[in-house]
């Protein structure tokens, strides 16, 4: 067992003299700065990250760009400042910083459309608009060795050029038309209604006509124009991955290929940036392909290949190398039993740096391109993302987090694996507890491991009530800091929080995923109960005061737990699957769901069929804009709890169950004040049913 203790004092409510941390006060917690993303300048001298902070009214987060010194000698400095915020930072080959923002342009003569493309010159000065269009600009792709710039943006299917696109959009807006006529699938994604606009890839070019009178543009756009290099591909570019070669001559993208009966798969396509000519590189039945980075010599692209799931077999994700010009697909580290995310090539082409879930962490690995040898570079209990490499190949930079600290930017010595935290826009918050790793064995011998967050003073004389938190996915792992499900808010109130990785979790090999495939109510459930049994035997845990909580798949499992055991005092279920026969055809990706759950499996694993057995008070939480787990799941769960559970509403309509409903949130509760309400209601519900101390609802609810 490994133990990691913080210097914080206990979060036990009884410890009145304990020093407070940001996790003891929800207003303080939601105001903590949040770092994400990382980009490195071509000369390797500048790092830029995004920092989200709370606005003055505490109603939303605004993202600004900050520069971090790669050498670690200088303090971080803020580069941008606007009420609308900035996103999508990327360095151009000349060292200028590109980003998108809906902030107003001081030189514009008319209202600024959303998400224009901006440029902050390398020599400093004011940012200026490069491209502004009625439909806005999406992502930015900037080749490292070429002055070219590419962007993704949407066009209406009936548009023939920028002018007609602007006219069609204006017509829909002026006439208040929101209707969308679909001829294919899907029609929604997470919290977005898809269509009628469709994504395209554009090259940003000098305007040789000497002027630009397109609607929605400004005078400063006269020097730049957009050229569609993806052509009329319909909806094929929705929610795909796209990369550009360092020399800017080639774009490689995945595309959605429509199949029979509402199915689809991702193929790999090369686009000639000069001509727009498209070449299909990979198109294989039963496979999905996505591009990773392209090598520095512009000759080879890393490919992520996912073998589609079936009712019998879980998806299998592997890495490959492919010549940019097309040819034979070469497996990369084919014997490595992890699902890798390729991040960057080494400058000499000898290896690719990747991240992968691994035993409750997500380290950085080096994968040799000459034989596939895998070498783990980082060895701490952390998760890494956004890995970039210096030109000399000596260092990498990444965003790192763990349950002991939120995301921060670090430098990695690629020879030794040593990591150095770089000066950040914010200090690490003080953690109100200690952290341990625990494990047990399942009935079939599989090792089940978990993280356990504890109040600092938890011990035989002060055993802590236990909260079992079940992660979503289900193809995922508890291995990185999370703002939405943060255990330290609970330890600050005296709870211990158990974060287990049951069957279906990533980072333990293909067989571990397969153990739960299509049988959610079996090994995933028994794994969770086994690790809970193990932890409840500890003298610092009070096994008489426990609760189970989860969101998405974790919410499904919370519902399943409720119908199969009454061992918990309370259950919180967020954005949860309830009736699987209903969920399958209404989720935003039914084609994926039906590859795993046959009608028979959906019946065998559906929580709603066990509602009569529910004897535990449940708090149901759901957002109306959730398209992944539609609101119908929450509504049906709520009604059936009141009408069919063992704690159904009595003759006076009273019940211990509660339903926290968000009309304007999605699968996640994202706005600051709604997050406060979420935690307040959850803590109040747990206080009543786990601690036996009824609590008033938050005043923001107006009750």
């Amino acid at each position: 067992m490994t133990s990691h203790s913080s210097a914080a004092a206990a979060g036990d409510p009884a410890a009145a003299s304990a020093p407070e941390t940001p996790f003891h006060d929800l207003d303080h917690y939601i105001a903590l700065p949040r770092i994400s993303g990382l980009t490195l300048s071509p000369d390797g001298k500048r790092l830029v990250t995004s920092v989200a902070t709370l606005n003055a009214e505490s109603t939303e987060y605004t993202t600004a760009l900050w520069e971090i010194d790669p050498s670690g000698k200088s303090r971080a400095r803020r580069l941008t400042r606007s009420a609308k915020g900035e996103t999508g930072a990327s360095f151009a080959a000349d060292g200028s910083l590109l980003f998108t923002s809906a902030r107003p342009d001081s030189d514009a003569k008319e209202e600024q459309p959303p998400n224009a493309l901006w440029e902050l010159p390398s020599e400093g000065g004011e940012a200026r608009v490069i491209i502004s269009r009625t439909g806005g600009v999406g992502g930015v792709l900037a080749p490292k060795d070429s002055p070219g710039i590419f962007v993704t943006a949407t066009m209406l299917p009936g548009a023939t050029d920028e002018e007609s696109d602007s006219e069609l959009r204006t017509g829909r807006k002026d006439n208040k038309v929101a209707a969308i006529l679909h001829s294919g699938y899907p029609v929604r994604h997470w919290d977005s209604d898809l269509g009628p606009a469709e994504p395209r890839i554009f090259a940003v070019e000098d305007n040789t006509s000497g002027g630009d009178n397109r609607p929605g543009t400004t005078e400063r756009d006269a020097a730049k124009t957009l050229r569609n290099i993806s052509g009329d591909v319909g909806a094929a570019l929705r929610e795909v991955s796209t990369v550009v070669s360092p020399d800017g001559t080639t774009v490689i993208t995945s595309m959605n290929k429509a199949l029979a009966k509402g199915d689809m798969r991702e193929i790999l396509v090369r686009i000639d940036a000069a001509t727009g000519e498209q070449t299909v590189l990979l198109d294989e039945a039963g496979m999905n392909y996505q591009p990773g980075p392209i090598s520095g010599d512009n000759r080879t692209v890393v490919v992520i290949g996912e073998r589609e799931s079936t009712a019998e077999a879980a998806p299998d994700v592997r890495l490959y190398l492919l010549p940019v010009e097309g040819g034979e697909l070469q497996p990369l580290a084919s014997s490595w039993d992890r699902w890798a995310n390729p991040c960057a090539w080494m400058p000499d082409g000898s290896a690719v740096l990747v991240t992968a879930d691994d035993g409750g962490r997500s380290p950085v690995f080096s994968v040799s391109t000459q034989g596939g040898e895998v070498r783990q570079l980082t060895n701490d209990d952390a998760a890494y993302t956004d890995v970039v490499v210096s030109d000399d190949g000596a260092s990498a930079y990444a965003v790192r987090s763990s349950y002991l600290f939120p995301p921060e930017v670090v430098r990695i010595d690629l020879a030794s694996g040593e990591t150095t935290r770089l000066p950040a826009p914010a200090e690490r918050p003080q953690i109100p507890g200690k952290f341990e790793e625990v494990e047990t064995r399942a009935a079939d011998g599989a090792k089940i491991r978990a993280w356990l967050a504890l109040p600092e003073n938890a011990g035989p004389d002060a055993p802590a009530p236990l909260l079992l938190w079940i992660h979503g996915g289900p193809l995922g792992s508890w291995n990185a800091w999370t703002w939405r499900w943060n255990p330290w808010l609970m330890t600050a109130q005296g709870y211990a929080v158990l974060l287990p990785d049951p069957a279906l979790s990533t980072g333990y090999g293909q067989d571990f995923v397969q153990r739960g495939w299509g049988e959610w109510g079996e090994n995933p459930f028994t794994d969770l109960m086994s690790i809970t049994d193990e932890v409840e035997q500890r003298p610092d845990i009070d096994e008489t005061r426990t609760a189970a909580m989860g969101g998405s798949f974790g919410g499904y499992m919370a519902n399943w737990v409720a119908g199969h055991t009454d061992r918990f005092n309370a259950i919180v279920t967020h954005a949860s699957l309830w009736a699987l026969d209903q969920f399958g055809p209404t989720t935003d990706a039914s084609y994926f769901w039906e590859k795993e759950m046959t009608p028979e499996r959906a019946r065998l694993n559906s929580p709603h069929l066990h509602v009569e057995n529910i004897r535990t008070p449940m708090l149901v939480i759901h957002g109306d804009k959730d398209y992944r787990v539609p609101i119908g799941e929450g509504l049906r769960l709520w009604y059936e709890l009141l009408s069919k559970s063992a704690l159904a509403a009595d003759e006076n309509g009273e019940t211990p169950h509660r339903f926290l409903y968000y009309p304007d949130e999605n699968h996640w509760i994202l706005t600051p004040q709604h997050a406060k309400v979420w935690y307040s209601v959850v803590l109040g519900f747990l206080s009543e049913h786990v601690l036996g101390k009824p609590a008033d609802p938050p005043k923001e609810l107006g009750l």
Side-chain angles (χ1 to χ4, degrees):
M1 178 179 294
T2 306
S3 177
H4 312 270
S5 297
S6 77
D12 194 316
S17 61
E20 289 197 347
T21 71
F23 304 92
H24 287 82
D25 183 274
L26 287 173
D27 286 311
H28 195 167
Y29 172 74
I30 65 172
L32 290 172
R34 305 178 177 197
I35 292 174
S36 63
L38 193 64
T39 185
L40 178 67
S41 64
D43 62 8
K45 295 180 179 180
R46 302 177 65 196
L47 279 169
V48 169
T49 189
S50 299
V51 182
T53 54
L54 203 59
N55 67 1
E57 294 77 25
S58 299
T59 55
E60 63 181 3
Y61 293 102
T62 301
T63 301
L65 303 181
W66 284 70
E67 182 171 342
I68 293 176
D69 179 11
S71 72
K73 297 177 181 178
S74 302
R75 298 178 61 182
R77 67 185 185 97
R78 186 169 181 170
L79 298 176
T80 62
R81 190 183 301 272
S82 74
K84 293 293 186 180
E86 298 82 23
T87 58
S90 180
F91 279 103
D94 65 0
S96 61
L97 184 63
L98 306 170
F99 60 88
T100 60
S101 178
R103 68 198 223 170
D105 179 9
S106 60
D107 291 333
K109 294 183 178 179
E110 53 189 84
E111 181 181 353
Q112 182 78 5
N115 284 347
L117 176 64
W118 291 72
E119 178 189 58
L120 187 62
S122 58
E123 63 272 15
E126 294 294 326
R128 66 186 186 95
V129 173
I130 297 298
I131 288 292
S132 175
R133 58 191 299 272
T134 305
V137 175
V140 183
L141 298 168
K144 180 180 178 182
D145 303 326
S146 166
I149 301 171
F150 302 86
V151 299
T152 57
T154 61
M155 291 189 71
L156 290 171
T160 57
D161 53 26
E162 287 288 281
E163 182 175 0
S164 61
D165 181 67
S166 180
E167 291 175 352
L168 288 170
R169 290 177 187 271
T170 301
R172 285 177 60 89
K173 179 180 179 181
D174 291 348
N175 291 294
K176 301 188 183 305
V177 174
I180 304 169
L181 178 63
H182 291 283
S183 60
Y185 189 86
V187 300
R188 307 197 296 184
H189 184 73
W190 286 115
D191 63 347
S192 299
D193 295 302
L194 300 180
E198 299 168 340
R200 300 288 183 264
I201 303 171
F202 297 89
V204 180
E205 299 182 330
D206 292 335
N207 186 359
T208 57
S209 66
D212 190 347
N213 297 315
R214 289 170 296 144
T217 64
T218 71
E219 286 185 356
R220 301 189 73 170
D221 293 308
K224 300 291 182 181
T225 188
L226 294 179
R227 177 170 57 88
N228 182 356
I229 65 169
S230 57
D232 184 8
V233 292
L237 288 170
R238 284 178 180 164
E239 308 301 330
V240 300
S241 300
T242 304
V243 297
V244 61
S245 61
D247 64 6
T249 63
T250 304
V251 172
I252 296 182
T253 183
S254 50
M255 285 191 182
N256 298 311
K257 181 176 182 178
L259 303 173
K261 299 181 179 180
D263 199 1
M264 59 184 283
R265 68 169 179 264
E266 287 185 272
I267 64 175
L268 202 68
V269 176
R270 184 185 71 237
I271 302 175
D272 185 292
T275 66
E277 179 183 1
Q278 297 183 15
T279 303
V280 176
L281 297 175
L282 296 171
D283 180 359
E284 180 183 347
M287 290 293 297
N288 290 296
Y289 294 107
Q290 295 179 347
I294 298 175
S295 59
D297 63 7
N298 306 288
R299 297 173 58 185
T300 308
V301 60
V302 183
V303 175
I304 306 167
E306 178 184 330
R307 176 72 61 182
E308 285 187 346
S309 60
T310 66
E312 293 74 32
D316 192 2
V317 180
R318 301 287 174 176
L319 288 183
Y320 303 88
L321 297 178
L322 180 71
V324 167
E325 294 303 313
E328 184 177 352
L329 196 63
Q330 174 189 339
L332 183 62
S334 58
S335 61
W336 189 35
D337 196 10
R338 292 294 182 268
W339 293 1
N341 173 48
C343 300
W345 283 79
M346 291 295 290
D348 62 2
S350 63
V352 177
L353 299 189
V354 308
T355 61
D357 289 354
D358 185 66
R361 293 92 171 155
S362 188
V364 179
F365 299 87
S366 170
V367 182
S368 169
T369 57
Q370 306 296 320
E373 178 189 0
V374 178
R375 181 168 63 96
Q376 184 171 331
L377 299 177
T378 60
N379 292 284
D380 49 7
D381 298 332
Y384 290 78
T385 63
D386 304 282
V387 181
V388 294
V389 181
S390 63
D391 267 352
D392 60 8
S395 302
Y397 306 93
V399 176
R400 174 184 69 176
S401 76
S402 80
Y403 284 107
L404 294 176
F405 51 84
E408 60 188 23
V409 179
V410 298
R411 182 177 64 246
I412 306 167
D413 185 300
L414 294 179
S416 66
E418 180 183 356
T419 58
T420 302
R421 182 181 177 225
L422 298 177
E427 293 300 314
R428 290 181 178 180
Q430 186 181 14
I431 299 299
K434 52 192 177 183
F435 208 47
E436 298 183 8
E437 189 171 16
V438 296
E439 64 179 58
T440 191
R441 291 284 174 180
D444 62 1
K447 183 176 79 172
I448 312 302
R449 59 157 305 285
W451 295 112
L452 178 64
L454 290 152
E456 193 70 40
N457 71 335
D461 295 331
L466 179 68
L467 305 182
L468 166 65
W469 280 19
I470 310 166
H471 70 64
L475 303 176
S477 170
W478 288 118
N479 59 29
W481 183 273
T482 169
W483 294 104
R484 292 191 295 268
W485 283 70
N486 194 288
W488 302 116
L489 289 168
M490 303 305 184
T491 64
Q493 300 303 319
Y495 296 98
V497 181
L498 180 63
L499 305 166
D501 282 349
L504 289 171
S505 298
T506 52
Y508 305 92
Q510 192 69 23
D511 289 345
F512 198 80
V513 175
Q514 189 65 45
R515 288 180 66 244
W517 191 251
E519 298 174 337
W520 290 10
E522 296 188 19
N523 278 335
F525 170 66
T526 56
D527 287 354
L528 291 167
M529 296 303 99
S530 295
I531 193 70
T532 303
D533 289 341
E534 179 74 21
V535 171
E536 285 183 349
Q537 296 177 28
R538 294 167 54 110
D540 52 4
I541 297 297
D542 183 352
E543 76 282 3
T544 68
R545 298 186 295 170
T546 62
M549 301 172 56
S552 194
F553 165 78
Y556 158 87
M557 189 54 67
N559 295 339
W560 186 264
V561 167
H564 287 78
T565 178
D566 59 1
R567 66 184 294 173
F568 297 102
N569 303 111
I571 289 177
V572 179
T573 179
H574 170 93
S576 65
L577 291 68
W578 173 243
L580 299 192
D581 58 340
Q582 167 184 282
F583 167 80
T586 59
T587 181
D588 61 352
S590 297
Y591 55 86
F592 179 86
W593 170 260
E594 292 188 357
K595 288 180 172 66
E596 177 178 5
M597 286 289 175
T598 63
E600 176 65 10
R601 280 184 169 175
R603 184 184 66 80
L604 291 173
N605 291 278
S606 190
H608 84 286
L609 297 176
H610 306 277
V611 63
E612 292 87 353
N613 299 327
I614 295 179
R615 296 174 173 82
T616 305
M618 295 187 69
L619 170 60
V620 180
I621 309 175
H622 221 111
D624 198 271
K625 303 305 180 185
D626 187 350
Y627 296 164
R628 181 55 49 96
V629 183
I631 186 59
E633 296 297 299
L635 294 175
R636 182 170 175 179
L637 168 57
W638 178 238
Y639 176 71
E640 292 186 347
L641 283 176
L642 268 60
S643 61
K644 297 181 179 180
S645 77
L647 295 176
D650 62 19
E651 62 274 10
N652 297 314
E654 298 294 327
T655 177
H657 302 307
R658 294 293 182 268
F659 184 19
L660 178 59
Y661 168 68
Y662 289 93
D664 54 357
E665 293 282 3
N666 55 45
H667 199 62
W668 307 281
I669 308 304
L670 299 178
T671 57
Q673 294 303 318
H674 278 168
K676 274 184 57 181
V677 168
W678 193 97
Y679 278 109
S680 297
V681 171
V682 168
L683 285 168
F685 188 76
L686 295 175
S687 179
E688 178 178 358
H689 297 289
V690 177
L691 305 181
K693 300 176 181 178
D696 293 331
K699 66 180 186 306
E700 290 87 352
L701 292 176
L703 299 177

